[in-house]
Amino acid sequence: MPLFNQSIRRKIVGIALGLIVLMLVTSILSMVMSGQVGVLLDELTNRYIPAYSHLARANIRSLERALALRRMVMTRMGSASDEEAYAARLREFEALDRKFEEEAETARKLINAIIDDPRTSSDNAALARLDVRIESAVTELRRNLDEGNTKLLKQIEAKDMAEARGTLEQLDLLRDAFNRKVDAIRGDMLTQVFFSTSQVISRQYQAIIVSGVVTLLAAVLGFAFALLVSSGITRPVRLLLAGTREVEAGRFDKTITVSTQDEIGELAAAFNRMTEQLRHNERVRETFGRYIDPKVVQGLIDRPEVAIDGQRRVMTIMFCDMSGFTAMSEGMTPRGLVRVMNHYFTMMSGPIRSNRGIIDKYIGDAIMAYWGPPFIEEDEPALLAGLAAIDMADQVPALQKQLPDLLGIRAMPGLCDLRIGIATGEVLTGSIGSELMMSFTVMGDAVNLASRLEAVNKTYGTRILISQATADAIGSHLELREVDRLAVAGQSVPQTIFEVMGRSGELTAAHESLRSHYAGGLAAYRARRFDEARAAFNVALEAVPGDGPSRAMLTRITQFEANPPGEGWDGAWRLEQK
């Protein structure tokens, strides 16, 4: 089975076993070669060198033997009656004679042991010649010395000193000849010692080289296998890392090539399945993101208990409606109406999304949206809703120009515009619905108030009306105008409502004058100084002709002049009076 089809555990164990085998081979070779070197060293130290030493001592023993012989002769010549001293010299001579032969015989035995040892590659022919030469030299010396010694002793006994001296000289010549032979043998023996020493050194070098080569081979093979396996592991791991970073960046089209069948290969296959599932989930999310706001989906995924249990939070609610929609839709075909509504919702939903709002639902031609935690911080909802409303109102001129082109007509039968109501208050957030279908939405008085404010725009001729709580939260970040106090059905306390006129610092001088005179007229109106109020509202209309709230208040003053309010009138307008 190929290496890459094995598991990581088997790969690592295989590499370890391979390295262990190479280490064992290296150790065995080292032990074998070290054993051979040991045998050669043993032969050198226990045979070659001792054999050479015994030959050297044999030479010395021959000299000592000759000296003992002279002492023995001198003892006999000095005092013929001293038999005891002569006998002692004779014993000394005979002992040295035996030692001489023992040294020579021991050297021969060691040489023969070297020859007989099959474990070493000695020069057995040269050693055999040395053995023969030693034997020949010792035998010849023994024969000549025995004859000379016998002759010398007879001459000494006969008191023939002149002849004895001649015999001694002959014995010295024989000894010198023997010593020369022994020196030659020792020289040849030393050559053999050097040869054995060179073998030991050569085998040592050879053992070192072989051990180094095998060790290097083991290291190279081990590194090669380790590199091969590690690359087989690290390459897919790098691919997995790159794929993980792609997924982290939100790109789910990364696919990893599975080149192994080990755990990394299984992980890569699992990663591919995961990215395929993520791509599928992303397609589902993109699809359902058109029906449910993606932030709601993500919030429900992160905190599902919010949808189940519900929570009470302070949020800002917006209702947006298209004015003139009924008259405009009467002459449209269904296809044309769908095209117009889709375009309208696309243009109006953009500012809500860009200002981090949540689109709750589309109701006919109306949009319901909200801002609040946990999607944004608690101090941001009112301002973001106001900014979104201004951006939506800014889209109206472009929408009015685009609608005829969408319908393929020269001019619209009616003028379309926006009505936006915004209210802030505590609402209940959670999943509302039946067992068959649920909707994550918001419920509460603030929702009802926002819906009523959207509708009240028609009464005042305005686009954006907000509640008192919303205005308090916005503060000076937007240009606001107090419009009226409104008593909404179901609420006993009147609500002060405001119009969003624009972003902070963007009002023209005319609109500044409008806001100032309108505030004066509103104060006079609440104080029942209707003539003063009428004058102030007329000045406001001169600043901005066609101002809806000013015209509405003038109409109301005319009604009050015909039918004055009662004593308990608090200056608030009640929707039931419409």
Side-chain angles (χ1 to χ4, degrees):
M1 186 178 292
L3 177 63
F4 289 107
N5 292 339
Q6 302 294 323
S7 66
I8 294 177
R9 179 175 178 271
R10 288 185 178 181
K11 291 176 184 177
I12 295 174
V13 171
I15 292 175
L17 289 177
L19 292 176
I20 291 172
V21 169
L22 289 173
M23 291 172 60
L24 288 175
V25 170
T26 304
S27 300
I28 291 171
L29 285 175
S30 298
M31 287 189 292
V32 169
M33 308 231 16
S34 298
Q36 291 177 349
V37 173
V39 170
L40 293 174
L41 282 173
D42 179 71
E43 185 179 70
L44 178 64
T45 55
N46 295 326
R47 291 175 183 170
Y48 273 100
I49 294 176
Y52 180 82
S53 300
H54 283 296
L55 283 175
R57 284 196 292 272
N59 198 356
I60 294 171
R61 298 304 182 199
S62 69
L63 295 174
E64 291 176 346
R65 181 177 177 278
L67 182 60
L69 179 62
R70 286 183 177 275
R71 289 176 180 173
M72 184 180 66
V73 172
M74 292 176 64
T75 301
R76 174 60 73 182
M77 291 174 62
S79 177
S81 60
D82 193 355
E83 294 295 334
E84 184 176 351
Y86 177 76
R89 296 297 182 186
L90 179 60
R91 287 194 299 274
E92 180 183 358
F93 171 76
E94 291 175 347
L96 289 172
D97 190 45
R98 287 192 302 273
K99 288 181 179 178
F100 164 73
E101 290 188 355
E102 289 174 358
E103 295 291 350
E105 186 63 25
T106 303
R108 288 186 61 206
K109 287 180 179 179
L110 291 172
I111 291 173
N112 286 314
I114 296 173
I115 295 172
D116 295 336
D117 193 347
R119 297 176 299 170
T120 59
S121 57
S122 303
D123 190 352
N124 293 336
L127 291 173
R129 287 193 297 270
L130 287 176
D131 178 55
V132 171
R133 289 168 62 190
I134 294 171
E135 182 183 11
S136 176
V138 171
T139 301
E140 182 180 359
L141 179 63
R142 166 59 57 198
R143 183 177 65 251
N144 293 331
L145 287 180
D146 287 346
E147 293 176 357
N149 291 339
T150 302
K151 182 179 178 181
L152 178 62
L153 290 175
K154 288 180 180 181
Q155 291 173 348
I156 292 173
E157 291 294 335
K159 302 294 184 176
D160 189 358
M161 294 303 161
E163 293 293 333
R165 289 189 185 92
T167 303
L168 277 174
E169 291 177 359
Q170 291 178 356
L171 291 175
D172 288 340
L173 292 175
L174 291 173
R175 189 198 66 242
D176 291 341
F178 173 77
N179 287 340
R180 286 193 296 271
K181 291 180 180 179
V182 171
D183 287 340
I185 293 171
R186 286 171 56 196
D188 293 340
M189 187 65 192
L190 187 60
T191 302
Q192 294 299 313
V193 171
F194 288 154
F195 174 74
S196 178
T197 303
S198 65
Q199 279 191 319
V200 172
I201 295 173
S202 176
R203 290 297 179 87
Q204 283 181 328
Y205 284 145
Q206 189 178 15
I208 292 172
I209 291 173
V210 171
S211 297
V213 169
V214 174
T215 302
L216 181 61
L217 180 63
V220 170
L221 290 177
F223 179 77
F225 276 107
L227 186 64
L228 185 64
V229 174
S230 63
S231 63
I233 295 175
T234 56
R235 182 177 176 275
V237 168
R238 290 194 195 100
L239 292 175
L240 277 171
L241 179 59
T244 303
R245 287 173 176 169
E246 291 289 324
V247 171
E248 183 182 15
R251 296 184 290 269
F252 306 126
D253 55 349
K254 180 71 173 179
T255 301
I256 298 176
T257 303
V258 181
S259 58
T260 62
Q261 296 181 8
D262 55 13
E263 292 84 351
I264 300 296
E266 294 178 2
L267 182 59
F271 180 86
N272 289 336
R273 292 193 296 270
M274 180 193 71
T275 54
E276 177 62 29
Q277 185 62 40
L278 288 174
R279 285 195 295 270
H280 175 72
N281 292 344
E282 187 64 18
R283 287 193 295 270
V284 172
R285 179 175 294 184
E286 289 177 357
T287 301
F288 280 95
R290 300 180 180 181
Y291 299 91
I292 304 174
D293 193 285
K295 286 188 285 188
V296 174
V297 175
Q298 189 61 45
L300 294 177
I301 293 174
D302 295 338
R303 299 182 62 188
E305 70 277 2
V306 174
I308 298 173
D309 300 333
Q311 290 184 340
R312 285 197 170 273
R313 293 183 180 274
V314 175
M315 289 191 172
T316 297
I317 316 300
M318 171 194 284
F319 276 85
C320 170
D321 195 6
M322 180 188 291
S323 63
F325 171 74
T326 302
M328 182 179 65
S329 62
E330 288 178 352
M332 293 184 187
T333 64
R335 179 177 296 179
L337 182 59
V338 169
R339 187 185 301 116
V340 168
M341 294 309 300
N342 287 341
H343 185 70
Y344 158 70
F345 284 134
T346 299
M347 292 187 69
M348 296 304 142
S349 299
I352 296 174
R353 289 280 183 86
S354 62
N355 286 281
R356 296 188 290 169
I358 307 298
I359 297 176
D360 184 80
K361 62 176 70 72
Y362 298 118
I363 313 169
D365 61 332
I367 302 174
M368 175 182 172
Y370 58 87
W371 285 257
F375 308 109
I376 56 176
E377 299 299 326
E378 294 183 356
D379 58 345
E380 296 181 305
L383 177 59
L384 291 173
L387 292 173
I390 294 173
D391 291 340
M392 293 165 72
D394 291 342
Q395 298 286 338
V396 171
L399 179 64
Q400 292 173 345
K401 291 181 180 179
Q402 294 167 1
L403 286 179
D405 292 336
L406 290 174
L407 296 173
I409 58 178
R410 292 180 181 272
M412 291 293 297
L415 184 64
C416 68
D417 205 338
L418 286 185
R419 293 196 299 263
I420 298 174
I422 301 174
T424 301
E426 187 178 70
V427 295
L428 173 66
T429 65
S431 294
I432 308 298
S434 66
E435 295 181 356
L436 300 178
M437 184 175 179
M438 304 291 288
S439 174
F440 186 84
T441 187
V442 293
M443 299 177 62
D445 288 341
V447 178
N448 297 329
L449 179 58
S451 177
R452 296 298 179 90
L453 291 178
E454 177 271 316
V456 169
N457 278 290
K458 187 175 181 180
T459 301
Y460 293 98
T462 53
R463 280 183 176 171
I464 308 171
L465 289 179
I466 64 175
S467 67
Q468 175 74 58
T470 306
D472 293 341
I474 290 175
S476 61
H477 291 92
L478 298 178
E479 299 291 350
L480 306 179
R481 170 172 60 155
E482 183 179 352
V483 174
D484 200 359
R485 281 204 296 266
L486 183 67
V488 181
Q491 292 185 351
S492 58
V493 179
Q495 287 276 344
T496 301
I497 60 175
F498 296 79
E499 179 191 14
V500 177
M501 302 180 70
R503 293 177 176 82
S504 179
E506 293 185 356
L507 286 187
T508 63
H511 283 86
E512 288 282 4
S513 176
L514 167 68
R515 182 167 61 178
S516 175
H517 288 96
Y518 185 88
L522 187 61
Y525 163 77
R526 289 173 178 169
R528 299 193 180 202
R529 301 193 301 272
F530 295 126
D531 292 336
E532 182 181 342
R534 180 184 292 107
F537 289 137
N538 283 322
V539 173
L541 280 172
E542 291 176 1
V544 179
D547 178 58
S550 298
R551 294 172 62 182
M553 298 304 292
L554 288 172
T555 301
R556 194 180 302 173
I557 290 172
T558 300
Q559 293 175 353
F560 283 165
E561 286 178 342
N563 186 17
E567 292 294 332
W569 182 65
D570 55 2
W573 178 255
R574 285 170 173 76
L575 291 181
E576 293 83 0
Q577 292 176 285
K578 294 195 315 179

